[in-house]
Amino acid sequence: MAEQGVSFAELSRVIGRNAAYLQQYVRRGSPRELAERDRALLARFFGVPETRLGGREAEGLTEIARLDIGASAGPGRLAEDEAARRPGALSQALLRQLGVRAAAASMIRVEGDSMEPTLSDGDEILVDRDHREVRGKGGIFVIRLDGVLMVKRLRTAVGGIEVVSDNPAWPVRICPGSDVEIVGRVAWLGRALV
């Protein structure tokens, strides 16, 4: 409430209750617990998962960070340091299958066409921040290069790292390893079928 600068009365109106409802809940313990609908509305208003407001964790789902920022699959975009976080959730079984810890997972969206046909504009990708090294045949990573957040295929090369776009219209770059900050490996993608 302090961060958002809202009062008990304003929040009570958000959930469709009388102005004193939430103040009584917090200060007097009446009602003893929030209705699920009220908690869901408040969580949506604040942009936090319901578990942060005392809700139960959904069966089989694990909370992960969903960042409101895109990784460019094009020439690049400047990375905002303070990307808005929205709650997200993925299946615990899926995370186990992918070998990704929930604490190291985040979801961001792809912007641009340089990784076509592998990644398309608007795809959501799961980034595993535990895997930040290019090994063997390499893989697809979210990186910062020249102050720009990108999603690219990386391979080791003589003299550094090969930064590759899957779209052949985009050139391959070879960069010194010290110039490429690897945020994490792309472990999974979600795509809407239109």
Side-chain angles (χ1 to χ4, degrees):
M1 287 176 56
E3 286 176 21
Q4 303 249 346
V6 293
S7 68
F8 283 119
E10 290 171 302
L11 286 179
S12 293
R13 284 191 288 277
V14 164
I15 63 174
R17 302 286 187 159
N18 72 54
Y21 184 79
L22 285 174
Q23 183 173 357
Q24 290 175 337
Y25 168 70
V26 170
R27 296 203 172 132
R28 295 186 186 155
S30 175
R32 288 176 60 190
E33 76 180 48
L34 286 178
E36 285 187 40
R37 177 191 163 280
D38 294 342
R39 186 176 42 248
L41 289 170
L42 288 171
R44 212 169 306 133
F45 176 83
F46 285 118
V48 298
E50 288 186 53
T51 53
R52 186 154 174 216
L53 300 178
R56 286 180 229 114
E57 187 135 343
E59 274 301 306
L61 295 181
T62 299
E63 181 185 319
I64 61 166
R66 177 174 259 143
L67 305 180
D68 192 17
I69 187 170
S72 178
R77 75 190 302 262
L78 294 177
E80 294 95 27
D81 288 334
E82 296 186 21
R85 292 179 180 266
R86 299 176 290 144
L90 281 180
S91 154
Q92 294 170 1
L94 176 62
L95 289 173
R96 270 193 311 276
Q97 179 185 352
L98 297 170
V100 178
R101 290 183 318 112
S106 57
M107 298 274 305
I108 61 175
R109 85 183 159 282
V110 174
E111 294 180 347
D113 68 352
S114 76
M115 288 301 291
E116 289 279 0
T118 310
L119 300 175
S120 299
D121 186 59
D123 285 352
E124 287 214 43
I125 53 177
L126 175 67
V127 181
D128 180 0
R129 295 184 314 275
D130 278 344
H131 289 89
R132 297 177 178 208
E133 291 183 27
V134 182
R135 294 185 182 142
K137 296 178 184 178
I140 299 175
F141 293 84
V142 172
I143 64 171
R144 279 191 190 87
L145 179 61
D146 301 327
V148 175
L149 191 67
M150 304 178 186
V151 57
K152 298 290 180 190
R153 186 175 301 279
L154 301 182
R155 295 189 283 243
T156 56
V158 174
I161 295 177
E162 200 173 53
V163 180
V164 181
S165 298
D166 284 1
N167 184 336
W170 293 85
V172 173
R173 289 176 66 180
I174 297 180
C175 303
S178 60
D179 289 358
V180 180
E181 178 190 345
I182 299 175
V183 175
R185 179 181 58 88
V186 176
W188 181 84
L189 78 98
R191 176 177 293 164
L193 297 176
V194 184

